Amino acid sequence: MPTIPLRVLNRTLLQRQLLAERTTRSPLEVIRHLVAVQGQEPNWPYVGLWTRVAGFRHDDLAALLRERRVVRATMLRRTIHLAAPEDYRWLWPSVRPVVRAALRTARYAEQIAGLDPDEIGETADKLLAGRTLSRKELGRLLAEHYPGRHAGRLAEVAETVLSLVHAPAAGAWGGWSTRTGIQVTRLADWAGTTVHERPMLETMIERYLAAFGPAGVMDIQAWSGVTRLRDVVDGMRPRLRVLRAEDGRELFDLPDAALADPDLPAPVRFLPAFDNAVLGYRDRTRVIAEEDGRRFAEIASAGVPLFLVDGFAAGTWWLRRRTLLAVPFRPLPSAAEQAVEEEARRLLPFVFPGEEEATVAFAEEGSLPLNRLQIMMGRD
């Protein structure tokens, strides 16, 4: 069982996440390779694709949403992701138990007490047949069937038990925080297809390993939100490659997947908040040092934008007015700081389209508060 050095894991992550070199693959091919792209706040997936795809433009993703070749819906970790409809078909039944578990929380307990969530879903399914409704409209209609219940919660229950997708406007470029007025519709009406009846956990694991491996069982669970995968992985063991991390953890990979050269050059890369290159692991030390991850773990997990230097997270970055502000975790060598500034200047016209006066600046670590207000880009 070969032991894999941390630097090999890091360079392999960069290669499989298309961060070592921008790819000429189409944005749709990239989304499919990554399985699903985190998209709970509209602009972030655009940044994630810009940093991976050569010549990526805003309309490249917007067109995929408009043309229904990518859907926006609740998926991994009970959060909003973008995926091709053919992948959402098997992802949804695979993660549905995790999504449905939300109904046991206090947020829903009082409002759905005594109600059958599946019945609410059936009612919503009939209301949505052939239609696209805002969450507010759907909630109002459901409240007519369930008087005295919170309309918003009823709409959320429907989105928890049904395979509902969002209209394209929800994922359009232009918003650094979650939008209101999101419209939902049934997958069958939107994409002309339906989800699989059964979970496809082995498919999910194989697809994860292709884009994130080598990885341990806890890493797969952290990425997907699905628990109790040990038995599934053990059943797949004969057809997987088994490796070991330097700390002794057992790692799994596809048998023909290449490991990267530890000396592979690693250019500066700007990652969006919530990027799965970071969130896709329980042990994130292959991309961010443990001490750096702890800086905001209790406040925002990895839901902050990061920039990579030599393959590892070296700081956060923010947009304030017309400035892209880079905040290193610690002072950077002059050559690294120059490389960060050069990549930031390449990013400027993408995050500030039409703003000719936009600029790049550096701030000392700790000078900006890491909280949700700070994460909402462009606000002081």
Side-chain angles (χ1 to χ4, degrees), residues 293-360:
R294 283 199 299 265
R295 296 167 189 260
F296 40 79
E298 294 183 1
I299 300 171
S301 185
V304 296
L306 300 167
F307 63 84
L308 310 182
V309 174
D310 191 31
F312 292 89
T316 62
W317 61 278
W318 313 97
L319 303 180
R320 304 188 74 177
R321 299 186 179 91
R322 295 184 178 89
T323 301
L324 191 159
L325 198 61
V327 189
F329 293 142
R330 56 191 59 83
L332 297 171
S334 58
E337 183 173 306
Q338 181 180 347
V340 170
E341 181 173 353
E342 289 173 353
E343 181 69 358
R345 290 196 179 280
R346 284 189 281 269
L347 179 56
L348 275 181
F350 189 84
V351 293
F352 290 118
E355 296 283 355
E356 296 182 0
E357 298 180 0
T359 188
V360 175

Side-chain angles (χ1 to χ4, degrees), residues 251-272:
L251 304 176
F252 298 90
D253 204 1
L254 300 180
D256 57 351
L259 299 177
D261 184 336
D263 296 322
L264 180 74
V268 169
R269 289 289 183 255
F270 280 76
L271 295 182

Side-chain angles (χ1 to χ4, degrees), residues 136-261:
K136 184 176 182 179
E137 291 170 327
L138 176 60
R140 178 180 59 78
L141 293 173
L142 285 170
E144 294 177 1
H145 289 264
Y146 305 99
R149 306 298 176 126
H150 190 285
R153 295 294 177 275
L154 291 172
E156 291 173 10
V157 170
E159 203 164 350
T160 298
V161 300
L162 296 178
S163 53
L164 302 185
V165 300
H166 299 171
W173 169 264
W176 293 108
S177 59
T178 303
R179 284 196 170 101
T180 58
I182 290 175
Q183 294 183 314
V184 297
T185 189
R186 304 186 309 176
L187 176 69
D189 293 324
W190 188 253
T193 189
T194 57
V195 297
H196 290 283
E197 293 184 5
R198 298 174 181 272
M200 298 181 64
L201 298 179
E202 292 191 1
T203 296
M204 182 182 76
I205 291 166
E206 289 174 346
R207 291 286 299 277
Y208 168 82
L209 292 176
F212 294 84
V217 173
M218 297 299 287
D219 296 317
I220 303 169
Q221 294 183 167
W223 167 78
S224 64
V226 180
T227 59
R228 301 179 181 177
L229 292 179
R230 170 66 65 182
D231 288 345
V232 182
V233 173
D234 282 343
M236 300 172 65
R237 188 181 291 265
R239 64 179 192 269
L240 295 177
R241 186 181 184 186
V242 184
L243 307 165
R244 195 171 294 281
E246 290 179 315
D247 63 3
R249 287 179 301 111
E250 194 173 50
L251 304 176
F252 298 90
D253 204 1
L254 300 180
D256 57 351
L259 299 177
D261 184 336

Side-chain angles (χ1 to χ4, degrees), residues 62-118:
L64 292 176
L65 290 165
R66 291 194 306 269
E67 295 165 6
R68 310 187 185 194
R69 291 190 288 165
V70 165
V71 297
R72 185 180 194 266
T74 301
M75 296 180 221
L76 304 169
R77 300 186 301 278
R78 205 187 297 160
T79 57
I80 302 300
H81 279 69
L82 309 180
E86 54 266 40
D87 289 328
Y88 179 67
R89 291 186 68 212
W90 59 261
L91 261 178
W92 172 251
S94 301
V95 302
R96 179 164 42 199
V98 179
V99 178
R100 192 183 178 99
L103 299 180
R104 297 196 294 267
T105 64
R107 178 179 178 84
Y108 297 99
E110 180 179 350
Q111 289 301 322
I112 66 171
L115 299 180
D116 180 355
D118 290 319

